[in-house]
Amino acid sequence: MHTDPPTRRTPARRGSLNDDNDDDPHNSLTAMPDATPKQPPTFTSCLTIPVEGAVPIERLEPSSRPNRIDVGISAGPESKRAPRKSKTEALVALHNHAQASDSQEDKNDAIAEDVGDRVKLWDGPAIRVSPSLDMSSVKTPNPRNSPSKPLERPFGLTDCPTFRPTPEQFKDPLAYIKSISENARTYGMCKIVPPLGWDMPFVSETETFRFKTRLQRLNSIEAASRAKVNFLEALYRFHKQQGNPRVSVPTINHKPLDLWLLRREVKKLGGYDAVTRGKKWADIGRLLGYGGIPGLSTQMKNSYARVILPYEHFQDRTKSGSSCNGAKANGDDSPPSSPLTATSSPLSEPPDESERLDHKLRRTTRQTSQEQQTPRRTAASVNALMAGTSNGKPNPELHCEVCHKKNRETEMLLCDGCDCGFHMFCLDPPLTTIPKGQWFCHICLFGTGGDFGFDEGEEHSLSSFQARDREFRKLWFQSHPPSPDDEQTRVQNGDSSKDAPDPAVNRFGDIVVSETDVEREFWRLVESPNETVEVEYGADVHSTLHGSGMPTLETHPLNPYSKDPWNLNNIPILPESLLRFIKSDISGMTVPWTYVGMVFSTFCWHNEDHYTYSINYMHWGETKTWYSVPGEDAAKFEAAIRKEAPDLFEAQPDLLFQLVTLMNPKSLKDAGVDVYACNQRAGEFVITFPKAYHAGFNHGFNFNEAVNFALPDWLPYGLDCMKRYQEHRKLPVFSHDELLITITQQSQSIKTALWLNPSLQEMTDREMETRSKARFLELGEVDEEVDRPEEQYQCTICKVFCYLSQITCSCTTKVVCIDHIDELCKCSKSSRVLRKRYSDTELQDIQMKVAERAAIPTLWRAKLGKLLAESARPPLRNLRALLAEGDRINYPLPELQSLRKCVNKANEWVDAANTFIIRKPSRKRAKRVRGRPSAEGSSSGSFGDELIDKPERGLDELYALLREVESLGFDCQEIATLKSIAHDAEETKTKARDLLETVTSARERDAYIQECERLILHGSSLNVHVDEILEVEKIVMREQLLKEMEEDTDIDALSLEEIRHFVARARACNLSPDNRFYKRLDGRLRAGEAWERRAKEVLAKPQKSLEELDESIKAHTGVAYDADLLDRLVTVRIRGREFERQATAWLIPNGAEPKPRVQDVVKMVSRAEKEYLLPVLVDLRRTVDFAVDTESRCDAVLRNRYSIQPGEETDIFAIMLGWVKYAKEHLQIFSLPNSERLDQQLAQHYRWLETLPWYCRQHNQAHGQKILDDVVESTRPEDDLPPNDEYFTCICNNPVRPPAPGTVSDAVQCDHCYARFHGVCAANGGSCPFCDHQHWNGSIHKERNWHFCYLPTILMQAPDITKFYCEDWKQLEIIVHRIDRLSGVIGQFLSFAGQAPNQRAEYIPQVRHYMRKLYKIQFAVSPLPEVSFGLDLAGLHRILAGQPAPIRMKKRRRPKFIFGQDIDKDWADGTRCICRGRTHYLLGYPTVECELCNKKYHSGCVFAPTDATKFICPLCCLRKNRAYPYSDVRVKHPDNAEPDMYVDTKEMLDTFSKDIIYMKLAPPFQQTLFVELIRFTPGQPDSMAASANGGSRGPMGQPMASHSNGMHPPSRMPAPPMQPVPSHAHRTSPPSAPYVADRRSQPSTPIHHVPPPPPWSATNRASRWSNAAATAPPPTSRTHLPEHSSSVTNSPVASSSRKRKYPDDLPSPPSAVAEEIVLARGSPTSPKRRQHSNSLSSQPGRSNQGLSPSLAMMLSPNPVDVRSPPPPAPPPRHPVGPPPGHQQPYPPRSVPLMPTSVSIPPRLEELPSSSRSVPVRPMKATYAPREPYHDVDPRWADSDPSSPSRR
């Protein structure tokens, strides 16, 4: 892990950070003398690229020192950096003098405004960036894209090793690092590539992540370059403050001399005197590149003596302390003589008198412009200023640092670096005049560069930093493309044809930049003297403040990678990491730091704090190049860099701790230092090892994260680092000693003690030595029990942590270590106290316990060695005890595994020996067994082995064990026992041989057998198998077997198992096959085993036949058999017979038993088929499958779930008939409840079908399509208004237009009402249908001569399957609902027009329009059977036609608006907002609801607060002519395309305008809403005399028009588009014959048969059902007239059998008219159909309670489906009529239904009081609204465009 130094200012002087000459913030250090002075110096900074989001860091001005008073200092403009102007002056002066020796005056005083040409990279506006970082724009881990490799690495470096662990190795990071450390440590670092599948997520919030950067000037970082600049600066300062107005650099052969290089080479050769004595000036000149020049050595020597040697002499005197210790003891204040005055400098030319006077003048008056900026301050001037600002008191602190006197203030100089005072005559050499410009004391002069650091840059977000890096890289490489000379080394070893991008290559236009190109360019810029590049680096970003890039348990507890061991937040606290014992989090060590790099940003040479390990992970981004020096070469590295720039280390001994210095790897290699490199890419780890120096730089924008950890092998390195910190007085991060003590407290394992003990022993010895020194000084001692804060035990002098003991004094709170006891205070040593954290005893006890734990493995090894050394065959008991002791040691012992293997082998031998030693229970002789043996079916050989039980092991195994134990090398008692057993076995073997060789007679046979039995008994006690004993045992068994066989003479009675037992014994004892008993037994055994095999084969079959079972049972007669096996056969046969009997009984029923259920039969058949193969089961299975299929189909039909399958008939009822018929004919053996229910439903269906008035017996079907077409055409809700054509006067729906010129019209005219008719229409009846009541009272015969009031009853009486599948019922349903709606509309109209005041001629067009509808429908329409609306309308027509049209005054009416939101559908969240649902991100946005129209709006869209209690939407405000309180509202009409023209709704409402009024408005300057006006209903201005066209109002208040003949309605607006509702296809083919409900049961046949497959099965798909016999039609049905049969055309559309949800689900009429049948337009989907009744509930659209349902539906904004449940409506303020929910049927004509007054809506209080209860005015002939129907709130009916006026 690399860190950058703390932010510093760059000026070399101490004290003030702002030089008085620091006018230019971008002065560069590149203007040093060069061999090619023609190249102008340049300065390029990335800060010249402005980026949005980059914020300059505000810096606090440094506080002045208390004794510092700046006199006359003019502060220039504040700069972001504090450039080191003294260096700038030195370089410019020297460079200018080298170019032109004396062409300009005062060159040494001139400060260059620009050291070099400042390159401006960007000339445009700031680059815009997004708030968050686009992760697709950076390089992320991608293991598939392998980077290409260069042929050769720059500087010839070797890459460090790269490790690729397996997933198993990757599980434990510290264990894996420990395993590779031996190899990787020699390189100082290594790279680890995670295995595939491991993908650490990047969790930082890129939008909120912000960090500060530091500025890095590349050519100021390199050691040699900075040393050169520091030397030249100090040299220039020295000569300048000696009063030299001109400083010139010597030139040799027109080439400026490199003074720094000259001085370095001279020092290498021993210095000026040594080179002069050795006459090596010519050699030095050649080293500097000057060859073949006459007098070279003289020129080199003189140049050195003139310029450098005086500076060295002054430096030597200063170091010797002469200049600071020259205080005159005698008090002589006279200025001493100076060997080097202002005019005696070797570098100066003698100034003229004017200059000398000018110098003096400027020292006193400070009037020049130069001095106004950089005044030379003296003590007198400072005190004079203080006297004016501090009550005239002089500064008591101002004194000379040499003589420490405060007198002669006018001759005291103040250092511009430290503000210390010096008498001019106390200086060495002394000064006679005040120096010109700045003056520095010797400490500041030689301390140049000691405070070098990086300045603060800007504060960035990730996206702003990426934008700056991307633009800087592109501009830089486009202007500095890679050199073509290096093309051969830039060739990559990779597949150039691969499609994946190469992560090692970047492209900037046509320029290809590789990693090698960036590396070369970086080092070129670092070493370039004339090209200064400044970049930013976001280093040391604390993850505690800005968040880690990896998930943690606090931020992402559910992310599995938060617990991953490779997570850098977890590595420091892993069990093997020593940093987990540190008691507090250390940012950067135990808590990760993050690093954000850009191109060329670098981290300088350093090693980790306390020499710990570090691990660095790159999340994403461009490559990071690393360089490393292994820890073994750390001393070489430090020596090399000190040799390269000794002056830097002289000024800063702790320079390498500051992380501000680079050194070229090539220079390090030349110095003998091993340097290695690697390129880290996204998703890779880099590990650095203890004490290894490392550095590197970034190739571009990247994001890294790093943390430290420590393994046990780090402890010696940590101790060395602690001592080094103490030498350099560097503040350590933690206490090394406290860490060791903490480890002893928290880990008591042996493993810890082994690696901790050496370090703990060293710490204890060191501490005891320290305490001995303190006791020698006789200091007081005190013990403490608790830990103090770290700052209370840190040495004030050397900064080391003195955790175990500190020295303190009562006079101060400071503490010191034993080495700095004299610097603590001025008290006597006896008053100082040694403060101890642990006493000597406690400390030694801690160390002793650890040492004891560490010694446990060693002690165990000693015991093992002693045991093995005492005897070549150690006792097994001791070995076992030592093994158990080792197992209890919780530490891996390598010797333990070997001991375990030895003991295990010995235990195995002892176990084997115990098989001979430990006696088994005595084996009993096998007796005669008549039962079944334990091993069924065992062979005779194995059964014989069981009869003759023998030991498992013989003598050979016993002797093998004895031979084996000789080589194992241990001793135990089992060895002697085993040898004794072997001896006894040999004796028994000899006796057995003797018995086998003995030949006995029959008389001696019994004694011989007894002797054999005794020997067998003795042999069994040995537990050793002896073959001779086995032979003797066979003799005894043979004698016993023969005796038993002679006793059991009835061999035929033996069972199969008994015979098998005898045969096995005979074979075991080698009985002769010729024995007569053996022959008989063997024959019966073979026969019995043959029967057994056949029986088992039958039982093993999955399906058994009864014939095979019977045969197997019969075959056991006469053979030996197994009784259990025979019982199993019999049981299986009995169960099969039972299944056969049951199946036969079901297939051939006797009529007495109940019919079985189908599911019971299926269960039985399934159970029987698993075990038996019976023909009757096959037949029963096929029959029951048919029954199951039939039942399932019937059930699906009854549940309305059946759909016609492909290939079936289209007539669903014909299909049902086939099912029922098939069930009756072939499935009568089963109980089929579904089929019976369907049979009943079918009977009810056909009976219901015959009740339809339009059912035709001749064709056996209902001809309802034509009726439906007429009803649909006549009952459209949008056609309730009469046509606006004056020629619509005929009873038909066609106009009677005048004939063409020259032709004669066939039209006729009624003499009473003057209506004109077509000739054809007039011939039908011979009279005017409007006036003649005979057309309506039944006198004139019509085909449809029934009454509508009976149709609802027929509709409700239909069975379920009729409602589900019958198209005739669907047609009837539509007819009933449509006629019911029309009936309600006509009935309400008649109720109103039946009153005498309302009978006006203006209503004639409406009456005729209704009569045309009823005339086309033909049948009588009304709710009651005794009423006919046609007859009532005819009577009303005669009354109205005889009255003249009255002339009335029109009433004013406001215009009405329909906006775009009114025709929109509700959006997904239920809103109908201003946004019109076109902005998807508003879905789910908070809404507000209008209290008038109840519509919801997004609060943001209408600028309304979400908590508004009373909100009125903008549309309602427009209609109500109110101002919308939250914003301006403008209305735009699509017909006017002018952008600034809007509709003036306020003016239109105020003037009751008939036209649209526009107004021109300026562009909006506040919150404004725009609304689109879709349609406009003109208003009616002031009252005017009604013309002949009429001026009255209809029943609903709509304007009507009466024409000259009283028959011309007004024009209407076009109807809105209607929502189509899905319709069912119309069925055209009913069943071929009426259904016959025949329930007679078919007689059963005596022989069962399998029914044929049903017609719908796949095997008989082509067959058709036979038609049932026709029956006579019912007497209530009418015969369809044959002359009309041809006019009814069947629709070709295929029928659908699915259930309808809507009454209008029917196919389109066969006509070509594109007309959709829609009833419920108010909602996109109609509600489910509910049961219809004659009395329909009213629909609450407005406050019209008490009116009939039809009229209520007509008055509602939408014609609501009457089947829908009514939504709740708020009760009116003044209810009129019946209470809510009351049903009022249509009364006779004599009872008027229209109330005399209407209820006032809730918002009508805004109208005049005279308008609140208004009697109903007569209506004109048209009353339906002209505008489309819309759902509106009844309270706003007066402002809704679709509601009638209520004024």
Side-chain angles (χ1 to χ4, degrees), residues 1387 1390-1391 1424 1426-1427 1429 1432 1785-1793:
L1390 287 173
S1391 298
L1424 302 175
E1426 64 273 10
V1427 179
F1429 283 163
D1432 293 346
Y1786 178 74
R1789 284 182 293 124
S1790 58
V1791 181
L1793 286 181

Side-chain angles (χ1 to χ4, degrees), residues 68-74 366 375 377-378 381-383 385 414:
R68 163 86 185 273
I69 302 295
D70 291 335
V71 181
I73 296 179
S74 174
R366 305 178 181 88
R377 297 170 298 149
T378 64
S381 64
V382 172
N383 283 334
L385 179 63
L414 292 183

Side-chain angles (χ1 to χ4, degrees), residues 122-135:
W122 186 264
D123 200 18
I127 301 175
R128 299 182 64 87
V129 297
S130 62
S132 59
L133 177 66
D134 182 8
M135 296 303 296

Side-chain angles (χ1 to χ4, degrees), residues 1179-1326:
D1179 296 342
L1180 187 58
R1181 164 60 72 182
R1182 186 179 181 190
T1183 304
V1184 77
D1185 287 345
F1186 295 156
V1188 169
D1189 185 33
T1190 302
E1191 280 291 277
S1192 62
R1193 289 170 178 266
C1194 294
D1195 182 69
V1197 167
L1198 293 173
R1199 293 176 181 269
N1200 193 22
R1201 297 176 181 173
Y1202 185 78
S1203 60
I1204 298 177
Q1205 304 297 324
E1208 290 184 336
E1209 293 187 35
T1210 57
D1211 189 354
I1212 184 66
F1213 289 96
I1215 295 174
M1216 297 179 200
L1217 287 173
W1219 299 344
V1220 174
K1221 180 180 179 182
Y1222 180 84
K1224 289 182 178 181
E1225 292 178 356
H1226 304 289
L1227 304 177
Q1228 288 295 322
I1229 62 176
F1230 303 113
S1231 173
L1232 305 174
N1234 291 334
S1235 177
E1236 294 173 358
R1237 287 176 53 202
L1238 181 61
D1239 186 15
Q1240 298 172 0
Q1241 290 267 319
L1242 284 173
Q1244 295 174 11
H1245 165 71
Y1246 284 105
R1247 285 197 298 270
W1248 176 87
L1249 200 62
E1250 294 174 359
T1251 61
L1252 294 177
W1254 47 85
Y1255 180 78
C1256 177
R1257 293 182 177 275
Q1258 179 179 353
H1259 297 91
N1260 291 327
Q1261 70 180 54
H1263 300 281
Q1265 185 61 46
K1266 178 61 176 174
I1267 302 173
L1268 177 64
D1269 295 342
D1270 292 343
V1271 168
V1272 169
E1273 183 180 356
S1274 302
T1275 58
R1276 291 196 303 271
E1278 65 272 16
D1279 192 41
D1280 285 346
L1281 291 176
N1284 56 5
D1285 192 344
E1286 61 180 345
Y1287 296 106
F1288 273 93
T1289 59
C1290 185
I1291 195 65
C1292 66
N1293 289 324
N1294 296 321
V1296 184
R1297 301 192 182 278
T1303 61
V1304 180
S1305 174
D1306 62 344
V1308 296
Q1309 181 174 336
C1310 177
D1311 295 335
H1312 179 71
C1313 64
Y1314 304 104
R1316 298 178 63 87
F1317 298 87
H1318 298 100
V1320 178
C1321 299
N1324 186 10

Side-chain angles (χ1 to χ4, degrees), residues 66-130:
N67 60 346
R68 163 86 185 273
I69 302 295
D70 291 335
V71 181
I73 296 179
S74 174
E78 180 66 23
S79 63
K80 295 179 182 177
R81 304 180 74 250
R84 305 174 63 173
K85 284 302 183 67
S86 54
K87 290 185 182 181
T88 301
E89 296 171 20
L91 294 173
V92 173
L94 294 173
H95 181 68
N96 291 341
H97 276 290
Q99 298 296 325
S101 59
D102 57 353
S103 59
Q104 300 180 12
E105 296 182 355
D106 295 333
K107 191 68 69 174
N108 57 330
D109 291 332
I111 303 298
E113 291 301 326
D114 284 309
V115 174
D117 295 334
R118 187 171 302 170
V119 179
K120 191 172 184 180
L121 297 175
W122 186 264
D123 200 18
I127 301 175
R128 299 182 64 87
V129 297
S130 62

Side-chain angles (χ1 to χ4, degrees), residues 262-281 283-284 287:
L262 173 62
R263 179 173 180 262
R264 191 178 70 172
E265 296 299 331
V266 170
K267 276 195 169 185
K268 286 182 180 179
L269 297 179
Y272 176 80
D273 294 336
V275 173
T276 303
R277 287 193 303 268
K279 298 181 180 180
K280 297 180 181 179
W281 288 108
D283 297 337
I284 290 179
L287 287 175

Side-chain angles (χ1 to χ4, degrees), residues 1504-1616:
T1506 56
D1507 55 350
T1509 55
K1510 293 184 179 181
F1511 170 74
I1512 302 178
C1513 68
L1515 303 186
C1516 292
C1517 288
L1518 289 174
R1519 293 191 177 102
K1520 297 296 291 182
N1521 204 6
R1522 295 181 178 179
Y1524 184 64
Y1526 303 108
S1527 69
D1528 187 15
V1529 183
R1530 299 188 180 184
V1531 181
K1532 190 69 179 177
H1533 195 269
D1535 293 344
N1536 194 320
E1538 296 185 27
D1540 54 351
M1541 296 298 293
Y1542 299 90
V1543 179
D1544 192 349
T1545 57
K1546 184 178 185 304
E1547 181 67 20
M1548 294 172 64
L1549 291 172
D1550 291 339
T1551 61
F1552 302 85
S1553 175
K1554 299 176 64 176
D1555 301 316
I1556 297 179
I1557 300 176
Y1558 293 93
M1559 60 180 173
K1560 189 172 184 179
L1561 297 177
F1565 60 95
Q1566 60 181 358
Q1567 294 178 345
T1568 305
L1569 298 176
F1570 295 89
V1571 181
E1572 183 182 9
L1573 179 63
I1574 300 299
R1575 282 191 295 273
F1576 161 69
T1577 301
Q1580 178 63 49
D1582 295 338
S1583 299
M1584 53 186 297
S1587 63
N1589 293 336
S1592 62
R1593 295 183 174 271
M1596 300 300 107
Q1598 276 78 6
M1600 303 293 296
S1602 59
H1603 303 274
S1604 57
N1605 56 2
M1607 297 177 292
H1608 298 161
S1611 60
R1612 295 185 300 171
M1613 297 293 291

